[in-house]
Amino acid sequence: MKTRLKYLFSIFQYDIFNHQFFLRIGRKNKNSTIFSMIISHFLLITMLLYFLFSSFNTFLHTNPQIKIQDFDVNTRSYVHLDNHNFHFAFRIEDNDGNAMQIENISRYFNIEVSFISQIHNESVPWNTTNTKSFEFQPCKGEDFPEFQDYFETNLKHAFCLKNHSFSLGGFWDEIKMDFLYMTINFCDQTDPNCMGRETFAQDFKGSYLTFYIETQNVDGTDYRSPLRKNLKYYSYLLDTNTKKNLNFYVKEVQLQTNDNLFFNQEPTIQRFFKQNQVDLDFNNNFNTPQNNVTLNAFWEIYLYSSNQIQIIERTY
């Protein structure tokens, strides 16, 4: 007990100034003045409080300093999309925005979806090195585990991209390009189950084609769960008289976290993606991957990697 009191008493006698002046009290010489000792205690307590409050955000990971920047890149980043992190769907709507229930969509049109890898060099302008086909099927609740309420009200009669896994990257002005290519075509007129184009035009007169595409938003203030998913939708008049080219672009999002208080280490990086741009072209002279135009296709949809990258820096 005496030892503890001794240490406590020694703290209160501590003087960071350590003046060489003597104050004689009770026939004993003191190496410090009472005033300098008080100032020393005040400074020590102030520094201790400053350290505690300044490190509060670091230890509890609250109130970070956030900096968001978008950069244009010459070489487009590769973004991986699959069943777990990316959902892509569409539905047909009437003029009032209600979903049209189409039991047998193949009676009207067919849908072709391909993931295509291409390279080009001096001898061959574009050479396809890999193709992979996917299918659209009626959406189910398990296709949208994070959007159950939205599914019940909006996606029950939609068609979803199934069993997909691919990485988008590159572009037409680069050596290599990987992209998703989709066409919506009139059904084969030689098929007896195919409805004629006049019937098609009558049944879908004034209707809309609505695309739903998943995107990821990042909340930099949430240390443990920064990811926020949502669905964007785009509606266009179906109009089979004019061919349309629709381009979606997906960019990489980097979340850089610097929460190291004592060592100058590289920040941790988490990678997400964001659907950030849509282009719609009504020009009939399409530059399709096959270098020709499918005569029955009245919609061509491309999914590319974006020429931008977003960096979110957060410092605790």
Side-chain angles (χ1 to χ4, degrees):
M1 183 68 179
K2 291 183 178 180
T3 304
R4 295 179 180 178
L5 291 176
K6 180 180 178 181
Y7 283 128
L8 180 63
F9 183 74
S10 64
I11 293 175
F12 283 103
Q13 283 190 325
Y14 184 71
D15 182 2
I16 61 174
F17 295 102
N18 195 23
H19 291 304
Q20 296 302 314
F21 301 105
F22 292 96
L23 180 66
R24 188 175 182 81
I25 300 178
R27 297 182 180 182
K28 293 182 179 181
N29 294 331
K30 300 287 184 180
N31 290 332
S32 305
T33 65
I34 295 178
F35 178 75
S36 67
M37 187 181 299
I38 293 173
I39 295 298
S40 298
H41 292 160
F42 174 78
L43 291 176
L44 288 174
I45 293 173
T46 301
M47 288 187 293
L48 179 61
L49 291 175
Y50 175 80
F51 173 79
L52 291 176
F53 283 105
S54 63
S55 60
F56 182 81
N57 289 341
T58 301
F59 292 121
L60 298 184
H61 299 110
T62 59
N63 300 323
Q65 296 180 0
I66 297 179
K67 182 180 180 181
I68 302 176
Q69 292 180 294
D70 288 301
F71 298 95
D72 292 332
V73 293
N74 295 324
T75 302
R76 303 192 182 210
S77 302
Y78 271 78
V79 182
H80 182 74
L81 308 176
D82 56 34
N83 290 326
H84 301 289
N85 69 354
F86 178 73
H87 298 95
F88 185 60
F90 76 92
R91 75 175 190 177
I92 309 295
E93 300 174 355
D94 60 22
N95 196 31
D96 296 324
N98 301 313
M100 299 179 66
Q101 301 183 33
I102 307 174
E103 295 181 359
N104 189 358
I105 195 172
S106 62
R107 294 182 60 198
Y108 296 98
F109 46 79
N110 65 71
I111 304 165
E112 297 178 359
V113 188
S114 299
F115 171 72
I116 301 175
S117 296
Q118 292 185 329
I119 59 174
H120 76 90
N121 51 46
E122 296 180 355
S123 58
V124 181
W126 282 105
N127 181 28
T128 300
T129 59
N130 181 38
T131 59
K132 185 177 181 180
S133 297
F134 301 105
E135 293 182 351
F136 275 88
Q137 298 176 358
C139 297
K140 298 179 181 180
E142 55 264 28
D143 294 325
F144 299 93
E146 296 93 352
F147 307 100
Q148 284 296 312
D149 294 338
Y150 193 83
F151 171 82
E152 292 296 328
T153 57
N154 296 278
L155 297 170
K156 268 191 171 182
H157 304 293
F159 297 88
C160 290
L161 185 63
K162 295 287 187 177
N163 302 323
H164 58 278
S165 177
F166 52 85
S167 296
L168 304 175
F171 202 60
W172 297 100
D173 58 352
E174 299 183 32
I175 297 176
K176 189 175 184 295
M177 176 172 61
D178 297 272
F179 60 98
L180 193 72
Y181 174 60
M182 168 183 171
T183 59
I184 300 179
N185 315 279
F186 288 109
C187 59
D188 186 358
Q189 298 295 301
T190 61
D191 186 344
N193 295 320
C194 177
M195 304 296 290
R197 295 193 182 185
E198 293 182 0
T199 304
F200 183 101
Q202 183 62 34
D203 290 349
F204 293 99
K205 183 179 181 180
S207 60
Y208 286 81
L209 181 63
T210 300
F211 296 95
Y212 296 87
I213 185 169
E214 181 176 326
T215 185
Q216 298 182 348
N217 293 327
V218 178
D219 181 4
T221 62
D222 191 330
Y223 181 77
R224 298 189 180 277
S225 303
L227 180 61
R228 300 288 185 271
K229 293 184 177 182
N230 63 10
L231 286 175
K232 289 185 176 182
Y233 69 92
Y234 303 90
S235 293
Y236 305 98
L237 190 66
L238 190 56
D239 182 25
T240 59
N241 294 320
T242 305
K243 185 173 291 186
K244 290 163 283 293
N245 182 18
L246 184 63
N247 301 323
F248 291 101
Y249 299 89
V250 179
K251 71 178 176 182
E252 178 183 344
V253 179
Q254 288 188 10
L255 176 62
Q256 300 183 1
T257 304
N258 189 349
D259 59 354
N260 198 300
L261 181 64
F262 303 104
F263 303 99
N264 186 21
Q265 295 181 352
E266 292 295 325
T268 58
I269 298 178
Q270 297 170 272
R271 286 180 167 81
F272 306 98
F273 70 88
K274 179 180 291 186
Q275 188 276 312
N276 70 316
Q277 184 181 349
V278 176
D279 292 335
L280 180 63
D281 187 2
F282 291 93
N283 189 344
N284 287 337
N285 296 320
F286 295 109
N287 184 17
T288 66
Q290 293 80 11
N291 293 321
N292 62 9
V293 176
T294 305
L295 297 178
N296 286 330
F298 56 93
W299 273 94
E300 289 185 321
I301 298 98
Y302 295 84
L303 193 63
Y304 295 116
S305 175
S306 174
N307 65 341
Q308 285 188 336
I309 185 172
Q310 184 176 86
I311 296 179
I312 303 175
E313 299 178 7
R314 60 178 181 179
T315 304
Y316 290 92

